[in-house]
Every structure is written in structure tokens, then in C-alpha cells.
Amino acid sequence: HFLTQPLSTVVDEGNDTSLSVSVSGTGPFDYQWEKNGASIPNATSAVLTILAATGDDAGSYRCVVGNAVGSVPSEEVVLTVKLVPVISTPPQSIGVVLNGRAIFSVTAEGGNLSYQWLRGDVELPGATQASLVLSRVQPASGGTYRVRVSNDVGFVMSDAVELKILSWRELAGYYQAVLEHD
């Protein structure tokens, strides 16, 4: 007979957590934790400890407790792992003519996301959307850009990409090369 059942738990990616049961009756007791219906190797105590949780640890858990008389499963509980953001489509380097318009964008997953664009290592004030639009690009606009994507668990930084200021001649040469390639 279970004195305490395991509890559904939410853990941030990278943190430790545990599930536990306590039972009464005639021992000795055998414990076997299961995840999504399959036995977890070496998970044979009243406490299941999960170190540095990852997305792979998320799932349904229960503990089957047995003694000489028989075995009984605990209630099934859910372990939810909240993940650090993942960039699915990173920003790309671009070339723009003077006074042209440059747009960098990023696509990411991971819950309630926030964005901060940087030029070099300096945060750009107000640049807090998934896209960064630079209108009327000047020579000083050139350089490297990246974006920090955050949620309540942590953050990820994109690789640096380049904004190159092109002359009209360079732009014409670029389009000529594209046309000849096709």
C-alpha cells in the first residue's frame, strides 16, 4: 500500500530532479521504475534521481513495487523538461548597397522567447524582435551581427553573420554571377 505516490514534476533543462514513493506493508520491497511503460535499467530504489535533465528525460513515469505477496504499480506521473531555446533557422550574412535596407531574421523554438540583436558585442537598443531591419544602411552599419534568444530557462547565441556594404558595381557583378550560374 502506497503511503506517498510520485508527483508530476517540471524541471529546467540541465537541472537535477527526483521522483519518489513510500510504501507500507511486509518487506523486503522490490522497486522498478518505468518510463513510458518500459523498465528503466538500474532504477530499483524508492527514489529515481535524474541528473542534468534533457528533453529525452521527459515522459510518463511510474514505480512498480513488489514483495513476497505480489506487485502494485504507483500512479503514473509526467516529467516535463523545460528546454533552453534552439535556433532552427539562423540569420544569414547579407550584402546591401549604401542607403539600402538590410533584414536579418532568426527562427527559434523554446516557449516564451525574447530576442536581443548585437552588432559586434554591443546590444542594439530596441532590437528585440525575431527580425532586425536596418533602413538606409551607412558604411558604419557594416560588420558582424548576432542575436541572443532567451527564455526563462536560459539562452542561446547565434553565430555571427556579416553585413557587407556593396558598391553598385559589386551588386551588379553579384547579380551577373547569379544569372550566369542559372
Side-chain angles (χ1 to χ4, degrees):
H1 153 239
F2 284 91
L3 295 174
T4 60
Q5 294 277 354
L7 297 173
S8 288
T9 305
V10 177
V11 63
D12 289 349
E13 181 178 20
N15 288 352
D16 302 341
T17 191
S18 63
L19 302 171
S20 64
V21 295
S22 64
V23 293
S24 65
T26 306
F29 298 106
D30 295 315
Y31 301 89
Q32 179 59 64
W33 285 92
E34 297 176 350
K35 176 185 169 202
N36 299 331
S39 293
I40 303 170
N42 304 315
T44 55
S45 70
V47 178
L48 173 65
T49 302
I50 297 167
L51 301 175
T54 68
D56 291 341
D57 293 314
S60 297
Y61 288 81
R62 72 177 187 174
C63 185
V64 178
V65 181
N67 64 6
V69 178
S71 63
V72 174
S74 71
E75 293 174 358
E76 203 163 276
V77 296
V78 175
L79 175 65
T80 303
V81 181
K82 291 174 23 183
L83 302 175
V84 170
V86 174
I87 293 176
S88 48
T89 308
Q92 302 295 312
S93 292
I94 50 179
V96 176
V97 295
L98 199 61
N99 290 316
R101 184 176 190 189
I103 301 174
F104 292 105
S105 63
V106 66
T107 306
E109 282 111 42
N112 188 17
L113 300 175
S114 62
Y115 305 89
Q116 177 61 62
W117 288 90
L118 299 90
R119 181 170 178 275
D121 292 323
V122 179
E123 291 184 0
L124 296 170
T128 56
Q129 302 297 317
S131 293
L132 172 65
V133 178
L134 303 171
S135 300
R136 299 187 51 77
V137 167
Q138 298 301 303
S141 304
T144 59
Y145 290 80
R146 55 195 176 139
V147 62
R148 181 177 59 243
V149 183
S150 306
N151 66 10
D152 59 350
V153 180
F155 71 92
V156 63
M157 190 74 82
S158 73
D159 290 337
V161 293
E162 185 177 0
L163 173 59
K164 185 174 182 192
I165 310 303
L166 301 175
S167 69
W168 284 104
R169 183 181 301 264
E170 288 172 312
L171 187 66
Y174 169 79
Y175 279 114
Q176 189 62 39
V178 168
L179 291 171
E180 288 171 1
H181 183 264
D182 290 345

